[in-house]
Every structure is written in structure tokens, then in C-alpha cells.
């Protein structure tokens, strides 16, 4: 595929993702109407902020590999991941807008995740103090589970063909596992309807995709 053709595909995909995000933003705002408003330091707000960051990197990794391979199965998987995670990120952006909360809060990342799991009802809960890890071993301000490092992202950018496919699958399996961990932490700490619904969807869909990607990786070993 020529470079101009690749850029045309990337541009078209980017426009599609922006449209998906805009629609999801509107849905996210409407979906929270009638429910109590979470606070800035709540589990719900922390989850919405951190999972947006996590999903944005998922979209980035997916779009990198879509431009690095001609394999139809990998390209289809990457497109599905990018569109799904862009849509979900748009939803969470919409939640925060509807709640009147900033997209970037005063709490460090993962503060909501490191507090005690009480089986839901964490609307006003705070996480552990900065630098204090909970029983899961996470501490507020540390990188979210499963995030690729900047060096790993740049490594993926440098590859193409089967090498890019393998590295993408390795990174995305870890990325999905981290998202599942975050979603399960939200389910343990919140009973807010839209948060529970999205977290359950993330756990189900990404566990299924992990199994698929493990098979795809084995085929390329």
C-alpha cells in the first residue's frame, strides 16, 4: 500500500472516530439524567477520568497497527477496538460534563481504585492517600494497570507486518487485562447505574477479546 493511500485510510478512520466520540458524548450526558450527582473525588468521577485515559491509549495502539499491517483479521480487530473504546471514552466525557465536574480532577490517578472495596455505594469515597498502596498493591499517582510505556508505543510505531502484529497483540492483551482490573475495581466500589453498566460491558468484552488475541498471538509465534 502506498504512503498516500495509508494516510487517506488513517484520515478517514480518524474522522469516523471523531464522529463516534461526539455521538457517545451526547449519549453519556443523557444517560446520567435523574441519578444523584457524584462528587469530584468519587469513585465514579475517578473511574470516568482514568478509563478515558486508558481507552485513548487503546485507540492509539489500534490505529498504529492498522497502518502497519495488511492482515485483515488484525485490521478488523484494531478497528473494532478503536471504535468501541472511542465510543466509551465519549460516554465518560459526557458523564463528567453532565455532573458539572472537570475532566481532570484534583485527585491523583487511581486514587479511587486504591480505596477499600465495600461492594458499591462509593459515591463520596476517597482512595488511599498519595503514595499509600492498598491491598491490591496499587498506589495513587502510579501508572494505571496495563498502560504501555512511551517507549513501547514508539517501538510499535517502528514495526510493520508480522512484527507489528505480534507486538500489538502483546501490548493490547496487557492493556485489556488492566482495563478489566480497573472495571472490576469500579464494580467493587460503586452501584451507580451507568458506571456499573459500562464496567460490566468492559469486563465482558475485553475478556473475550483477550482470549481472541491470545489465539492470534499463538498463530504468529
Amino acid at each position: 500500500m502506498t504512503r498516500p493511500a495509508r494516510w487517506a485510510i488513517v484520515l478517514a478512520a480518524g474522522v469516523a472516530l471523531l464522529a463516534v466520540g461526539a455521538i457517545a458524548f451526547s449519549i453519556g450526558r443523557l444517560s446520567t439524567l435523574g441519578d444523584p450527582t457524584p462528587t469530584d473525588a468519587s469513585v465514579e468521577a475517578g473511574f470516568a477520568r482514568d478509563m478515558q485515559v486508558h481507552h485513548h491509549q487503546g485507540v492509539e495502539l489500534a490505529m498504529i497497527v492498522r497502518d502497519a499491517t495488511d492482515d485483515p483479521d488484525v485490521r478488523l480487530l484494531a478497528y473494532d477496538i478503536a471504535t468501541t473504546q472511542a465510543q466509551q471514552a465519549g460516554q465518560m466525557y459526557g458523564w463528567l460534563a453532565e455532573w458539572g465536574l472537570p475532566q481532570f480532577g484534583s485527585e491523583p490517578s487511581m486514587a479511587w481504585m486504591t480505596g477499600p472495596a465495600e461492594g458499591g455505594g462509593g459515591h463520596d469515597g476517597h482512595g488511599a492517600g498519595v503514595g499509600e498502596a492498598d491491598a491490591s498493591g496499587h498506589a495513587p499517582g502510579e501508572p494505571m494497570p496495563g498502560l504501555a510505556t512511551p517507549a513501547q508505543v514508539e517501538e510499535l510505531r517502528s514495526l510493520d507486518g508480522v512484527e507489528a502484529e505480534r507486538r500489538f497483540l502483546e501490548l493490547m492483551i496487557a492493556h485489556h487485562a488492566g482495563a478489566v482490573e480497573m472495571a472490576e475495581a469500579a464494580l467493587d466500589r460503586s452501584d451507580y447505574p451507568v458506571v456499573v453498566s459500562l464496567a460490566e460491558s468492559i469486563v465482558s468484552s475485553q475478556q473475550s477479546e483477550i482470549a481472541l488475541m491470545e489465539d492470534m498471538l499463538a498463530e504468529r509465534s
Side-chain angles (χ1 to χ4, degrees):
M1 184 180 297
T2 65
R3 183 173 293 274
R6 284 183 181 273
W7 276 112
I9 291 171
V10 171
L11 178 60
V15 171
L17 290 176
L18 286 174
V20 167
I23 293 169
F25 165 74
S26 299
I27 293 172
R29 293 196 67 169
L30 292 173
S31 65
T32 66
L33 296 178
D35 291 319
T37 302
T39 64
D40 187 60
S42 66
V43 166
E44 293 77 18
F47 172 76
R49 290 169 179 141
D50 286 356
M51 192 60 85
Q52 278 190 75
V53 173
H54 210 271
H55 274 16
H56 287 156
Q57 188 184 76
V59 172
E60 179 184 16
L61 296 175
M63 296 308 291
I64 291 171
V65 81
R66 263 194 104 235
D67 194 38
T69 179
D70 293 323
D71 183 271
D73 292 334
V74 174
R75 287 172 60 82
L76 178 60
L77 172 66
Y79 184 74
D80 286 347
I81 289 173
T83 52
T84 298
Q85 297 201 11
Q87 186 270 336
Q88 291 176 345
Q91 269 187 273
M92 291 180 280
Y93 190 101
W95 295 350
L96 291 165
E98 185 60 35
W99 296 336
L101 300 177
Q103 296 297 324
F104 301 96
S106 57
E107 297 275 304
S109 65
M110 289 186 18
W112 65 274
M113 187 176 169
T114 54
E118 299 175 349
H123 304 308
D124 297 310
H126 291 261
V130 175
E132 297 176 3
D134 75 336
S136 71
H138 294 298
E142 288 186 348
M144 284 167 262
L147 277 185
T149 66
Q152 289 172 327
V153 175
E154 289 309 307
E155 177 194 11
L156 180 61
R157 289 188 191 279
S158 72
L159 302 174
D160 58 23
V162 176
E163 288 186 350
E165 294 165 19
R166 287 197 202 101
R167 194 67 184 116
F168 166 75
L169 291 167
E170 291 168 350
L171 293 175
M172 193 56 76
I173 287 168
H175 198 270
H176 271 26
V180 169
E181 183 179 349
M182 291 169 66
E184 288 178 336
L187 291 172
D188 287 342
R189 292 162 173 80
S190 176
D191 56 12
Y192 199 85
V194 295
V195 172
V196 169
S197 178
L198 181 59
E200 288 177 341
S201 175
I202 289 170
V203 170
S204 175
S205 64
Q206 298 207 14
Q207 283 179 335
S208 177
E209 284 182 344
I210 287 171
L212 171 63
M213 290 189 291
E214 287 174 340
D215 289 343
M216 294 174 72
L217 183 59
E219 292 170 357
R220 290 163 174 76
S221 298

